[in-house]
Amino acid sequence: MVSIVIPAHDEERVLARLLDALGGGEVPGVEIVVVANGCTDRTADVARRYPVVLVETPVPSKIRALALGDARASSFPRLYVDGDVVLGIADVRALCGALGGEVHAAGPTRFVPMTGASLPVRWYYDVWQRLDGTRAELYGRGVLAVDRAGHERVSPWREAMSDDLMIAMSFAPAERRVVPGATVVIMPPRTYRNLLRRRVRAMTGNRQLAHDGGAHLRRPAPPGPALRRLAAAEPRLIPRIALFLATAAIAKARGVVAARRSGQTWLRDDSRS
């Protein structure tokens, strides 16, 4: 038995895509819990079309949605899957099979289709996907699988905008694994404006995490050394690296402003819905 928790905030247009890929809630031994949180659309109605456990809350918080889903889930291994990605049952099985022994957390490889994305977005992802942390760490995948020991590491859930970074940084390298036999499809933003929205959210969350109790977490390696190696090995990428660094600087500056605002915000990008 495996339990899959899906926090869904205004995912009416994409939730069915994920649930269909997961077998529509009809695969024996697979329990799916959808937590519709703070939705202003028909996300819950979409979930009701499937034999899944539906939890509804008016609070738009992914971390609180994860906690609510956890309370209803009954089995391990347990997967946490963003509502806007695509993951199949074979990928679920591969992730669960990777857990055991020292490995308490697993994530899939990424497939990021660039069809329809603007040139700056394609350039940004061309650099981002080559970074050491992007390839080896569990953050930025929209999927996390844990066994019971791994679950104890990340719960009780603590409010944080950078939830995937907080979770990923809770595991030492020997305790986590990126599974080649599992793939998640992550839709990138179409426009540079929407890319910046995503990056501002990430920067805001990282800043909050650093200031609100994240000091005990293992920190990801800074991208500087990897970018220098990449520029030396492939000089043709230097203009793309420059755009990557400029994007990071803009997002960091905007993140400082956003972090001063009260409350949590999803800073959504619906351009690929």
Side-chain angles (χ1 to χ4, degrees):
M1 188 76 177
V2 56
S3 292
I4 302 174
V5 176
I6 304 174
H9 172 68
D10 286 349
E11 309 286 10
E12 173 188 355
R13 291 183 289 177
V14 296
L15 181 60
R17 180 179 65 191
L18 171 60
L19 294 177
D20 288 340
L22 292 172
E26 297 180 343
V27 177
V30 177
E31 173 189 56
I32 299 178
V33 180
V34 176
V35 185
N37 62 102
C39 295
T40 59
D41 65 359
R42 297 178 60 255
T43 295
D45 292 336
V46 172
R48 288 190 187 97
R49 301 204 301 259
Y50 297 83
V52 303
V53 177
L54 173 63
V55 180
E56 296 183 76
T57 173
V59 180
S61 166
K62 182 178 177 182
I63 287 291
R64 294 183 188 180
L66 289 170
L68 288 172
D70 242 359
R72 294 295 298 273
S74 60
S75 301
F76 289 97
R78 191 162 298 175
L79 273 72
Y80 305 99
V81 182
D82 289 353
D84 58 352
V85 304
V86 182
L87 187 78
I89 283 295
D91 306 303
V92 170
R93 291 180 177 133
L95 290 169
C96 293
L99 298 171
E102 284 188 292
V103 179
H104 302 302
T109 59
R110 301 181 192 85
F111 175 63
V112 186
M114 286 295 160
T115 303
S118 67
L119 181 64
V121 172
R122 297 199 303 271
W123 276 24
Y124 180 91
Y125 275 90
D126 198 17
V127 174
W128 181 75
Q129 294 193 87
R130 296 167 187 258
L131 297 179
D132 297 339
T134 303
R135 290 185 286 112
E137 298 282 1
L138 296 181
Y139 58 77
R141 300 178 188 276
V143 178
L144 178 75
V146 295
D147 60 8
R148 192 178 297 274
H151 176 262
E152 291 175 356
R153 188 76 57 83
V154 299
S155 64
W157 300 96
R158 183 170 61 83
E159 190 68 55
M161 186 178 292
S162 284
D163 52 273
D164 62 339
L165 179 62
M166 179 182 70
I167 294 168
M169 295 297 101
S170 298
F171 298 94
E175 298 174 321
R176 56 178 166 79
R177 179 172 297 168
V178 175
V179 182
T183 301
V184 61
V185 180
I186 300 176
M187 299 297 180
R190 292 184 184 274
T191 67
Y192 187 69
R193 177 182 179 182
N194 281 312
L195 171 65
L196 273 177
R197 285 177 64 84
R198 289 194 185 187
R199 298 315 305 158
V200 170
R201 172 182 167 81
M203 289 292 185
T204 304
N206 293 352
R207 182 180 177 86
Q208 290 175 340
L209 191 60
H211 286 80
D212 297 336
H216 67 287
L217 298 174
R218 182 179 57 86
R219 306 306 298 169
L227 291 172
R228 288 192 290 271
R229 291 196 304 271
L230 188 58
E234 298 187 63
R236 69 179 182 83
L237 294 177
I238 290 177
R240 305 181 189 200
I241 294 171
L243 179 135
F244 181 90
L245 291 171
T247 302
I250 295 170
K252 183 175 182 179
R254 294 186 181 180
V256 170
V257 176
R260 293 171 181 165
R261 299 173 183 166
S262 61
Q264 302 286 329
T265 176
W266 283 70
L267 292 173
R268 294 177 56 83
D269 161 34
D270 294 322
S271 67
R272 296 303 294 239
S273 299

